[in-house]
Amino acid sequence: WKKGCSSAWDQLRIPLLAAGKGSKVVVTTRDSNVATIMRADHTQSLGRLSEAHCWSLFEKLAFENGASGRYPHLESIGRKIVAKCQ
């Protein structure tokens, strides 16, 4: 987040306003300023996930059928991403 970037956020936020009735947009961030800029209706402050939980979530989203076993070369890269992102 930098001052003067609100127009960039508006470029992201404004098209989302045209979403269908009942649609929801979930934004995750570590910076509370992002929630303010996105004009969030509700915010929830969460603590950090354990590395095991982070990996579980990443694996479910990044790998076919939520399992990395068939892709050991990609699993090592994924684990590095998880460690870096915390």
Side-chain angles (χ1 to χ4, degrees):
W1 156 252
K2 294 181 181 166
K3 290 193 181 218
C5 290
S6 63
S7 64
W9 281 109
D10 280 340
Q11 288 177 357
L12 173 65
R13 186 182 63 80
I14 290 171
L16 298 174
L17 298 175
K21 184 176 180 172
S23 296
K24 304 287 183 210
V25 175
V26 177
V27 176
T28 62
T29 181
R30 293 181 187 165
D31 187 339
S32 61
N33 289 321
V34 173
T36 301
I37 292 166
M38 294 299 289
R39 299 182 188 139
D41 289 333
H42 305 286
T43 62
Q44 180 67 47
S45 180
L46 303 173
R48 281 193 181 171
L49 294 174
S50 70
E51 191 166 333
H53 283 112
C54 288
W55 172 249
S56 176
L57 179 61
F58 183 91
E59 184 179 37
K60 286 178 185 171
L61 296 173
F63 292 95
E64 184 178 355
N65 298 321
S68 61
R70 293 180 46 201
Y71 310 96
H73 59 293
L74 295 177
E75 179 177 341
S76 66
I77 294 168
R79 288 190 181 272
K80 288 176 187 175
I81 292 170
V82 167
K84 183 173 181 166
C85 293
Q86 301 177 356

